[in-house]
Amino acid sequence: MQRLNIVITGHVDHGKSTLIGRLLADTDSLPQGKLESVKKMCENNARPFEYAFLLDALADEQKQGITIDSARVFFQSKKREYIIIDAPGHIEFLKNMISGASRAEAALLLIDAKEGVAENSKRHGMLLSLLGIKQVAIVVNKMDLVNFSEIAFTKLKVEYSEYLATLGIKSDIFIPISAREGVNLIEHAKETPWYKGPTVLEILDSFKSVEEKENDDFRMPLQDVYKFTRDNDDRRIYAGTVTSGELNVGDEVVFYPSLKRSKVASIESFNTEVKTSVKESEAIGFTLETQIYVRNGDVVARADQSAPKVSNRFEANLFWLGAKPLELDKPYKIKIGSAQSTIYLEEIKRVIDGDTLDHADEPSVGRHEAACVIFRVHDLLAMELFSENQKLGRFVIVDEFDIAGGGIITEVLEQYTTRRTKSLHVSDVLVDKASTSAEFEEELFALLRKHFPHQFH
């Protein structure tokens, strides 16, 4: 059966957990006896039953009344299965919210009909945009608190639509519901005769299952190269996990950014039958017809397909969670795929703090702020636009051993060079640098073969 990852997010206390709990109960997706046991627990503790308690798996959640973890639950409609991620709405747990949303293919964003558009409602809308989630429905919850007023619903819809437009998001899907009462979740309710749009279940089933990649070209970030010496085993195995596409024995592959190339001699995997091809998500290794020196973090692509982009500069949408601000020209560590390097913030194009969208000429990016920025990397890296390959188009930034931020690549820019050269294209610089490096490495290997011949049988 088809499966789809959905994130449900919104401001704290706007009813995310209640919505999920009610959906699970109304579609008989709960484990047998789960609903009764939770009701009994509430009775024993003299607490009124809430559908949100079905998801409160952590003791801290039940004590504090806020969702801390990105709880993952399974839900099934007649059409398909869902993994629904209940992401935190409290500002202190935004890192957990991003962790949850990063796995999603579509999103429901809840807003309290009575409270209206909160600061975190804006921030979460912005985060969904930054994470590249394009399938979004706005669910206006607690309509019972405004007497299912069409006027109140329309006013909120106009206000939030105007905000989303400033982010470049167009969402025509707004659903008035009462999660606690089950209004417009599974079937249309008599309380909102003026609403003619889809129910929550109908909109979930209408979302398309999006593959993690739109690019079918073969890509594999190189994790390591293994060399065996025991029992005259002279294999040099290039290992990693395939992020997209397919690879076959006999295919010519190119390593980026080094531009080294060779043909696949064999495909190696542990404790399986002999393979002649591999596909996306498989963790494998392969040997080559000629031995070449490459580095961990290189991206492997097929020579007969399009190449990944290579540069040391890119534009990105970023969200910052570090205790210290993200500052210009300060060294940080970046991780893209299996590659790591030192990175510098070159330019802050705009900063978004939740209420005000465009802050130009800011000297830094503060905690819980998002920004459109330009980074300069110390090394040439192979990368992709997030819209073309999600796994190679997203990154994390480390500041003093802590993960302090993350984002998605929106544009790969011409590489940075310390010396200006007229009429020199980025590809010319890359080829020249790669060829010089290749010559050096070939000379190095010649010396190694001469002095350590037993390693090159």
Side-chain angles (χ1 to χ4, degrees), residues 128-169:
L128 295 176
S129 172
L130 293 179
L131 290 168
I133 300 175
K134 299 178 181 179
Q135 300 182 109
V136 180
I138 315 303
V139 180
V140 182
N141 191 25
K142 303 186 182 181
M143 286 294 296
D144 51 308
L145 299 183
V146 294
N147 297 317
F148 298 99
S149 167
E150 182 180 6
I151 294 175
F153 173 76
T154 303
K155 180 181 178 182
L156 190 150
K157 178 179 178 180
V158 170
E159 178 186 355
Y160 201 64
S161 294
E162 290 176 351
Y163 171 77
L164 291 177
T166 64
L167 298 176
I169 303 173

Side-chain angles (χ1 to χ4, degrees), residues 427-444:
S427 59
D428 299 324
V429 177
L430 174 59
V431 171
D432 179 64
K433 183 173 181 178
S435 61
T436 302
S437 176
E439 291 172 5
F440 168 77
E441 287 168 3
E442 288 304 320
E443 291 177 8
L444 175 62

